[in-house]
Structure formats: C-alpha cells, structure tokens
Amino acid sequence: MTDTERQDLGLFTDLYQLTMLDAYLREGMHDDAVFTLFVRRLPEERKFLLAAGLDPLLETIEGLSFSDEDLNYLKEQDFSQKLIDYLRNFKFTGQVRALPEGTVFFENEPIVEIKAPLPQAQLIETLVMNQLHLQTLLASKGARVARSAQGRRVLDFGARRVHGIDAGIKGSRALYLSGITATSNMLAGCTYDLPVAGTMAHSYIQAHDCEYDAFKNFTNAFPETVLLVDTIDTIKGVEKVIKLANELGDDFKVKGIRLDSGDLGDLAFKVRELLDEHNLNHLKIIASGGLDEHKIAQLIKDNAPIDGFGVGTGMGVSDDASALDMAYKLVEYAGKGRLKLSSGKPVLPGEKQVFREAKGSFSHDTIARVEEQLPGEPLLRKVMQNGKRLPSHQRNIEEIRQYAQQQLDKLPDSMSSISCTEASYPVEISDTLANYQKEITEHLKRGGG
C-alpha cells in the first residue's frame, strides 16, 4: 500500500507518543489533559501568521483509527497488549477550541487547544503539528505574495517542487484561502473545489519544428489560452502571436501571453507596446519564473504593465521562512495547570482565550485564562465536542477565503508590510494568567509534585 492510498492515519505519530501512551495506560492515567499549540517566535521577515489547515485536520481526527495491519505492526515492535487493545477501538472523544481558519495571529498566541483524556491528546500531537504547521506556513507566505500583487491575479504554480503530495494538495488549499487566485494543481482543485488555471510549457513549443505552428495548433485546441512566448526569442515569439491574430481575425480568442524568463519588467514594457501597436490591447501579460513577493512588489513599483503572476517554488515551499517555531505543549492535567521551566521555552498554563481589540485596524491582543471576560473579541472558538465537528463552525473554502481577507485588511500598515521593520504587534498576558503562571512556577521551584 502506498502512502497516497492509506486512509487510516493512526500510525502517523512519533514513536515516543506511543511509548508514553503505553506508559500512561499502565499507570491508569486517563484524566483530561489540555494541550496548547502555538508559535513561540515569528520568522525574521514575518510580522503576522495566518491560521490554516484546521478543517481538514478536524476531519482527520474525527475518523482516526488503527487497522489490523497497524496493530500487527505495533505487536512486532513489542508494545503491550494493553496498548494494542486500547488502539483497536480508538476513537477521539475530546474537545477542540481553535482560531478559525483565516485568522491572523501572533507569537505565543494559542492556535488550538485540545482537551481530551491524556492518552488521546498525546497521541495526536504529531498529526496536529504536521498538518497545521505546513498549511499555516504556506497561508502566511501566500498572503504576503497576494498582497504584494495589489489586486492582480496570482497563480499557484508550485506543485512540482513542493515537499510531497500531501503538501501539494493541502498547500494549494492554504494558498487559495490566503488570497492566491487559482492553482495549477488539478488534484487540489478537485479535492477542495479550488479554481484551476494554467497555460502551456516550453516542451509543447519544443516538440514542434516551428514555433508559429505550435501556437496555431494549441490555439485551435484551446482558443482562449495564454501563449508562452519566450522559448526561443521573446520579441519574435510575440510577433508570431501578432501574425496569428492577423491570420485568424475575429476567430482569434487568445487571452494573453506569458513571460517566463529574462528581465520581466523590461520585456513587459516592450511587449505591451508591441501588442498595443497592433490593436491587441486586450491581451494580458502574465509573468512567471522565480518570483516572490519582493520581486512582484518591485515590478509593480516600476509600473511594469503586468496583469498577473505565476509563482511556484518560492511560495510553494516558503523558501525565505521554511519552518515555524511551533510547539504543542501540555498545559493542564487532571484540573491542574502544568508548565515547564526550560530556558527560552516558556509555556502559559491552563486553558486560555485570546481577546483582540480593534480601532478600525487591530490594536492589541491579550492572552487570558479561559474563564476571564476581557474587552475585545474572543478569538478561540469551540469547533469540536465529544470528538465530533460542530456544524456551526464548518465553512466552505470561499467563506474562509473571504474571512481571511477581512482579517488581513484589519492589520495595521506596519504589520502588513512585506519589508523588514522593527515594529511588532502588542500581545499582552492578563494579570490573572500571569499570576497563575507565577504560582505554578514557584511551586515547581520549591520541588512541588
């Protein structure tokens, strides 16, 4: 069975989750635990992150199970029969509170809080982090790229170089909800009902003896296509498009041309002038080839006549910030707040809530204990109860995308800029939570157990 054929993901966990689970079962540790998922520090160029991946994750958790093949494998690894029996009928029964997908958030703020019997909450750590880490990382990158384009179309061309099939499919979803216009990834489009878009590759031109014949034949098959003009010589390629337009007359339905190499800004000016001279003002110019948010922003600053962008590797792998300092930590067990005192890795104990105040744009956040009532909007919402997704919080991809844009539009200008600045968004800890953390810290330092 290949990885793409597997439907049961119970074994998508680290070995130490199972060894701890085995030990918990031996000790009879079944009380409720609370785990918090958060990002300790933002990457250097990030002033905000965009939460993504929650809905697919909840669907996976709801159906999480172990097959006979899984259980036989675990027997071979010398796990106890108690563990095997527990996993045979495994069903997640816990509660999940989370930031809705598309929510802007900042460092140390809870993204997800999971409350469930300790063995259950421990087991899903690897899955939760894997799924939310990648999709949040890519949504955050996609938001930067989309906003740098200032309303122009941005197409996701990254499927060929992203890190695996799961990353390609769910990454395209994350990019779309962040503001990217469409994806070239057909499986992602089919799976999540995303708009798909694409043009043609150089190989189609190369396979023909004549570039003009390639353009003509492709246009016959797909009249409203976008033609790639830089396989041999960009300007000569555009001249052949003009020739084809003259030959076809009213039957010429081509939508645009794509530039994929060279000085994109300089070529765009030359190509636009050439097309306009021949009354092909309606043809759009799409640029691609090693683009990211900074290159797009520069092209727009230079007033390059480019109508849309195709962005691949840099966005698909978030090449300038390839990982988040994301953590999933135990913060409560059996009704008692828990934390660790490791240097540089603070943990806020207990169930929490984040309150966000806004004066037009977002002004500041406060992380508080869950029972507190503070000014501002409470961001964490209950999305799963007794192991079942709550219908009231299930949204389609277009609703999530619209919500994400509303969130991004409320960012202060200093936070939404793609340039490096010293500014940071103010996130406070409530006095009640700070005192609770202090009490537990002092207890631990006294050697309390």
Side-chain angles (χ1 to χ4, degrees):
M1 180 180 290
T2 66
D3 59 347
T4 54
E5 291 172 333
R6 293 196 70 105
Q7 297 299 316
D8 51 295
L9 294 175
L11 283 185
F12 191 79
T13 190
D14 289 298
L15 174 63
Y16 75 175
Q17 314 291 7
L18 290 169
T19 54
M20 287 189 288
L21 178 53
D22 203 341
Y24 290 149
L25 296 175
R26 292 169 192 258
E27 298 174 59
M29 297 179 69
H30 292 279
D31 287 337
D32 278 350
V34 177
F35 282 80
T36 299
L37 182 79
F38 61 100
V39 174
R40 289 193 185 96
R41 289 172 290 274
L42 300 186
E44 185 174 344
E45 283 203 349
R46 303 290 187 268
K47 295 301 178 184
F48 68 90
L49 295 173
L50 193 66
L54 178 66
D55 287 1
L57 172 66
L58 293 177
E59 183 178 4
T60 301
I61 291 175
E62 193 175 56
L64 200 63
S65 64
F66 290 80
S67 66
D68 289 341
E69 181 183 352
D70 294 337
L71 298 175
N72 289 335
Y73 173 75
L74 293 176
K75 287 179 183 178
E76 294 171 0
Q77 306 302 312
D78 294 327
F79 283 102
S80 72
Q81 188 61 45
K82 185 181 284 291
L83 176 69
I84 303 300
D85 292 341
Y86 177 82
L87 296 179
R88 189 180 306 282
N89 299 308
F90 181 84
K91 183 72 175 174
F92 182 78
T93 62
Q95 167 190 290
V96 179
R97 297 166 54 251
L99 301 178
E101 285 197 273
T103 301
V104 165
F105 71 96
F106 306 92
E107 60 186 34
N108 288 316
E109 295 186 332
I111 310 165
V112 171
E113 288 207 326
I114 292 174
K115 184 174 185 178
L118 178 59
Q120 294 182 25
Q122 186 76 69
L123 177 66
I124 63 174
E125 173 182 355
T126 306
L127 177 66
V128 170
M129 287 191 63
N130 173 274
Q131 295 294 291
L132 296 186
H133 175 270
L134 172 77
Q135 294 175 72
T136 295
L137 178 73
L138 295 187
S140 304
K141 177 70 171 182
R144 288 167 58 86
V145 174
R147 293 177 82 77
S148 74
Q150 298 183 22
R152 295 163 180 81
R153 286 168 58 84
V154 180
L155 308 180
D156 160 30
F157 284 176
R160 290 170 294 173
R161 291 180 181 160
V162 297
H163 300 154
I165 294 173
D166 189 58
I169 299 169
K170 292 176 181 170
S172 291
R173 178 185 181 277
L175 292 172
Y176 181 69
L177 72 83
S178 77
I180 300 305
T181 310
T183 181
S184 65
N185 184 337
M186 295 300 292
L187 184 54
C190 176
T191 302
Y192 294 117
D193 196 23
L194 310 180
V196 294
T199 59
M200 62 193 312
H202 293 104
S203 55
Y204 184 84
I205 308 296
Q206 293 172 281
H208 290 74
D209 293 332
C210 172
E211 186 178 38
Y212 181 78
D213 289 344
F215 289 163
K216 186 174 182 178
N217 292 338
F218 199 78
T219 301
N220 285 337
F222 301 98
E224 298 185 357
T225 190
V226 173
L227 295 172
L228 180 60
V229 296
D230 72 329
T231 305
I232 300 170
D233 179 279
T234 300
I235 299 301
K236 290 181 178 179
V238 173
E239 290 173 346
K240 290 168 185 171
V241 174
I242 294 169
K243 178 183 176 182
L244 181 62
N246 290 333
E247 179 183 335
L248 295 179
D250 291 342
D251 291 331
F252 182 75
K253 306 295 184 183
V254 171
K255 296 292 188 182
I257 61 97
R258 177 159 70 98
L259 307 173
D260 191 52
S261 59
D263 185 330
L264 296 174
D266 181 62
L267 285 170
F269 281 111
K270 292 177 179 177
V271 167
R272 184 75 273 160
E273 183 178 6
L274 189 57
L275 292 172
D276 291 351
E277 284 176 2
H278 291 83
N279 297 317
L280 294 173
N281 316 69
H282 69 283
L283 289 188
K284 305 293 186 184
I285 298 176
I286 307 300
S288 59
L291 293 176
D292 61 14
E293 63 266 46
H294 299 291
K295 293 176 182 177
I296 291 173
Q298 187 61 53
L299 286 167
I300 291 176
K301 182 180 179 181
D302 294 340
N303 294 313
I306 297 173
D307 302 291
F309 302 91
V311 186
T313 307
M315 182 171 68
V317 303
S318 185
D319 61 354
D320 64 324
S322 59
L324 301 174
D325 187 11
M326 184 176 278
Y328 179 92
K329 296 300 178 185
L330 178 70
V331 296
E332 183 177 296
Y333 177 62
K336 297 180 181 178
R338 311 285 170 150
L339 50 75
K340 65 175 192 173
L341 303 181
S342 305
S343 177
K345 295 185 176 182
V347 174
L348 297 172
E351 290 186 80
K352 292 169 289 294
Q353 181 57 274
V354 181
F355 294 91
R356 176 165 294 164
E357 296 190 60
K359 298 176 181 178
S361 60
F362 299 143
S363 60
H364 70 277
D365 293 0
T366 304
I367 307 173
R369 295 198 67 181
V370 70
E371 65 270 18
E372 292 189 72
Q373 296 294 325
L374 299 182
E377 178 189 4
L379 300 184
L380 290 167
R381 303 175 189 175
K382 188 182 293 186
V383 293
M384 177 174 274
Q385 183 68 37
N386 299 323
K388 296 291 184 181
R389 288 173 288 167
L390 297 179
S392 59
H393 292 288
Q394 293 179 36
R395 301 171 298 163
N396 64 45
I397 191 68
E398 295 299 337
E399 292 171 328
I400 297 170
R401 176 182 166 88
Q402 182 179 17
Y403 171 73
Q405 296 316 301
Q406 293 169 352
Q407 287 276 297
L408 293 165
D409 287 344
K410 291 182 181 179
L411 275 170
D413 291 341
S414 59
M415 296 298 103
S416 62
S417 171
I418 63 171
S419 60
C420 291
T421 66
E422 294 299 319
S424 60
Y425 183 82
V427 178
E428 304 167 353
I429 299 174
S430 73
D431 291 341
T432 301
L433 178 56
N435 289 335
Y436 187 49
Q437 182 183 34
K438 183 179 179 181
E439 290 172 9
I440 298 173
T441 300
E442 291 175 350
H443 177 70
L444 290 173
K445 286 183 175 180
R446 291 195 301 267

